[in-house]
Amino acid sequence: MAMTASGLRRVLDRRPVLHGVSIELPAHAVTGLVGPNGAGKSTLLRLLAGIDSPDDGGVLLSGKPLRTMSPMVRARHVAYLPQAARAQWPLSGRDVVSLGRMPHGAGFDRLTVADVEAIDDAMQRTGTAAFAARRVDHLSAGERARLLLARALATRADVLLVDEPTAALDPGYQIEAMAALRAEAARGVAVGVALHDLALAARWCDRLVLLAAGRLLAEGPPADVLQPDLLQQAYGVAFGFVEFGGHRLPLATGRP
Amino acid sequence: MRSTAERVWLLPGVLALLLACVSVIVGPGGLSLAEATADLLAGRDTVPALVLLEIRLPRALLGLLVGAALGMAGAAMQGLLRNPLAEPGVLGVSACAALGAVIAFYSGLVRLVPAALPVAAITGGVLGTAALFVWAGRGATVATLLLVGVAINALAGAATAFSLALSPNPYAFYEVMFWLMGSLADRSLDHVLLALPCVIAGAILLFRMRGRLDALSLGEETALALGVAPASVARWVGLGTAMAVGGAVAVSGVIGFVGLIAPHAVRPFVGYRPGATLIASAGAGAVLTLIADIAVRLLPTERELQLGVMTAMVGAPFLGWLALHRRQRSAPWL
Amino acid sequence: MLLLLAIVIAAVWPVSVRASEPPARVVSLNLCLDQLALALAAPGQLVGVADVTQDAHLSARWQQARTLPAVEMRVEEILALRPDLVLIDANAPAHVVALLRRAGVRVASVPDAATFEQGLARVRAVAAALGHAEAGETLANDMQRRHDEIVSTRGSGQPLAAVWQANGFTVGAGTVPDDLLRRAGFRNLAAERGTGPFEPLPLEILVRAAPDVLILDGATSDRPSLAEALMTHRAVRHAFEGSRTLVMPHSLWLCAGPQNLEALERLTAAHRALGRGS
């Protein structure tokens, strides 16, 4: 199930944050959202997830407007992992993941066989099975981040939107998290992920969307989007490139 | 997928029922329970039967009812606000309910329409909750919420004393004690009947919110992503809290800190799940209230201590302990 | 010259009244003393009474009291009335008394009265302070005579009575109501239980003691209070549906004084009625 957004405009606190952005999140692919701080990546993700409404434009999920869906139905189709997500109570690892089944009508004490299977699977794929019985406050920040990703995976949605999943993670876990997203895409899910790290974006994403100041600068395969002139226009610094494993990884080199 | 461990939330309820029986036994002494029960069952209108039915039983039932309402409301507010110090008594919701009840009672309205008492208390509770949510905001820090709550509490308390001072009845002014430091002494079955529907309706509302409170445990953004709108949860929880607390306060006055202590007492046993805490906390609230109400009758004080005084003597130090441990262990749920 | 000095001193210094001479301006500061003073003072002699004495629920002479200024226990307010005698009870705040004395006002402290007899002594004491000792003697003798008449008409037996006030309070031994109850031939439930002068009586105890007569101690206001709502508790209504209840206005027996005779009359009437009933 692909997701398309057209002409998304959003004004927050009388400040325009997005100026008519149109993008596509195809199924079977990881689409990376890149751009400098304040480019509008998080706002765009929230609009795509349907937890915020655009002032103009709309989001379609396989041709159906997202806003016509009830919140529960929408939540079954679109999973979203916000950046600031944080367990407010010292729940067990397994309870955190099982929250992902809530859109399917599950509760902590009401889990169907399908729910249990989805939870086990999500924990397996994020390497968090060992945390099932542990309290989240006894885990490290990286372990907690993986558990929250498992929560989003457990929903088994058609679209998975993740905001900066690697920010708190060690390099090893960053790779693990990106691999988990790729695996989701391989199952047919349309994955959208906001990333700060351009090298990570170049290596792990099928497509990239480059945003700057609330506008779409480029959209397409990483090799097409990560061009020196586009990057300099977006970030205001010059970029060089290093070749690694068949990818051209951008590196900021300094002010032009 | 149910196990005995998941039934643990029923335990406080069972304990509360046992304590209610103890509460019936405790009294100024000399009542033969066997005789009273026999008379009651045989339909004989004797003095022991009367004491059992009209004095002891209402007190025990109100202990259960009021305690459960306060325990559940405290757990719901803590779950909604993800704030461990939230509680209807501390944050002034109970005081606003008391103000509503006081206005309805001393104006003489309750003489014409008895149901006006809980209705006015609920209205006061709704206004208090709304003021709290609007003033502090749902995402308020612990400190902000507490400050706003203290302000609302003080305002409602002062307005209550003021309304009582306006009454031409010479006793009215001295009854500020009952309304701000509640009691279950000498209540009747009429009071039980007034409170019961409100508390049950409020409890049903809150119970239906348990899954949504669980969904809030990763924050409002995640709740939204899970298809739960925090604003609507806040409205329903606010209404449910006001109904349960309003029903309770209308017949017992403000009994503070029960809603603060009860959720903390049960949370570790239900895996800190907000929904399960709700149910277990209702039982724990009843347990706490009944223990305190039995204690005030057994303590060798000159006059029977107000129940609200008793709960405050235990609850206020607990609040201090919570504040200390939050800081020392940086545990936001304490 | 000496005469001039004397005039100056007299103008500045409050006039010191000799005890034999009746004081011209008297302020009374106690509900019970006020009522006696109102009964005994010469017209215009009393210039101020306590504000509670104007309350119809507490005072038997509230109408008369309302013709005078109400005074609260505040020195400035009292001195503004330029009294040469202030009547107080033994419980008056010591600092107020001391300040009044420093201002040169004579203060007469009258001992408490918790029985009818002590009430008679109080009548005499107040009358003496006002300079009308013979009027006090007459009133006291009259009260004694009426008392003896009333008591002689009471029935036989010693039925149990319980006094039930707002807030579940009762009156025990060492109070005027207790004294009057015994004079009318009743036993007082609270006194038998050893309850203090004014203490709450648990509702349960009251219901189980099943007294022969329940004395409801006066409705105080037409506006509601929880205190009075308790008097209509279902258990009270049930328990005393059939038995005799008597409403006693607070003002008749809160203080010792001539108004006690009416209270005594009502009590002996109830006592006689019980005797006939059994």
Side-chain angles (χ1 to χ4, degrees), chain B residues 27-31 45 47 50-51 54-56 105-108 111 167-172 175 178-179 186-190 193 302-303, chain C residues 164-167 169 198-205 207-208 210 220-230 233-235 237-239 250:
Chain B
L31 181 75
D45 198 11
V47 167
L50 184 67
V51 167
E54 297 286 356
I55 298 176
R56 300 265 180 108
F105 185 86
Y106 292 91
S107 67
R111 273 189 189 156
S167 167
N169 190 305
Y171 290 107
E175 283 163 9
F178 169 82
W179 291 107
D186 292 339
R187 310 272 84 193
S188 73
L189 279 179
D190 296 331
L193 294 178
E302 277 289 305
R303 314 211 188 314
Chain C
W164 179 246
Q165 296 179 329
N167 267 335
F169 272 66
F198 294 95
E199 264 184 32
L201 180 70
L203 181 55
E204 188 177 324
I205 296 286
V207 169
R208 282 174 35 208
T220 56
S221 170
D222 52 346
R223 299 296 288 276
S225 72
L226 290 177
E228 290 149 341
L230 185 60
H233 190 286
R234 282 161 68 125
R237 292 205 313 260
H238 264 79
H250 229 52

Side-chain angles (χ1 to χ4, degrees), chain C residues 70 99 110 112 132 149 158 164 167 180 193 210 215:
Chain C
L99 279 171
V110 183
D112 283 342
H132 308 298
E149 276 171 27
Q158 291 222 303
W164 179 246
N167 267 335
L180 295 178
R193 282 183 52 81
I215 301 170

Side-chain angles (χ1 to χ4, degrees), chain A residues 27-49:
Chain A
H28 297 283
V30 176
T31 303
L33 272 58
V34 294
N37 291 328
K41 301 190 293 285
S42 294
T43 306
L44 179 57
L45 273 182
R46 295 183 83 240
L47 292 180
L48 294 176

Side-chain angles (χ1 to χ4, degrees), chain B residues 291-316:
Chain B
I291 289 178
D293 191 46
I294 291 168
V296 295
R297 278 177 278 174
L298 294 181
L299 281 178
T301 46
E302 277 289 305
R303 314 211 188 314
E304 188 183 301
L305 209 56
Q306 294 278 117
L307 181 53
V309 174
M310 188 74 199
T311 58
M313 285 200 307
V314 180

Side-chain angles (χ1 to χ4, degrees), chain C residues 8-42:
Chain C
V8 170
I9 289 174
V12 176
W13 218 247
V15 187
S16 61
V17 184
R18 274 179 293 142
S20 59
E21 217 173 287
R25 298 180 64 82
V26 179
V27 171
S28 178
L29 291 173
N30 169 282
L31 173 66
C32 298
L33 295 177
D34 290 1
Q35 295 178 60
L36 296 180
L38 283 164
L40 292 163

Side-chain angles (χ1 to χ4, degrees), chain B residues 27-197:
Chain B
L31 181 75
S32 160
L33 272 180
E35 186 192 338
T37 317
D39 285 349
L40 199 61
L41 293 179
R44 285 194 295 271
D45 198 11
T46 62
V47 167
L50 184 67
V51 167
L52 185 64
L53 184 67
E54 297 286 356
I55 298 176
R56 300 265 180 108
L57 191 63
R59 187 162 190 165
L61 288 178
L62 281 176
L64 272 178
L65 201 61
V66 169
L70 294 174
M72 200 166 183
M77 288 182 82
Q78 290 181 10
L80 172 73
L81 301 164
R82 282 148 289 132
N83 188 324
L85 303 186
E87 196 253 333
V90 172
L91 296 185
V93 174
S94 302
C96 289
L99 176 60
V102 160
I103 291 173
F105 185 86
Y106 292 91
S107 67
L109 185 63
V110 172
R111 273 189 189 156
L112 305 175
V113 195
L117 188 66
V119 169
I122 289 169
T123 310
V126 165
L127 292 177
T129 321
L132 188 70
F133 290 174
V134 171
W135 199 353
R138 286 195 312 276
T141 61
V142 172
T144 309
L145 189 79
L146 218 55
L147 283 176
V148 170
V150 165
I152 292 177
N153 202 4
L155 198 63
T160 301
F162 184 73
S163 327
L164 288 170
L166 287 180
S167 167
N169 190 305
Y171 290 107
F173 189 70
Y174 300 99
E175 283 163 9
V176 72
M177 183 74 171
F178 169 82
W179 291 107
L180 298 185
M181 285 279 179
S183 163
L184 295 178
D186 292 339
R187 310 272 84 193
S188 73
L189 279 179
D190 296 331
H191 294 110
V192 178
L193 294 178
L194 277 181
L196 190 66

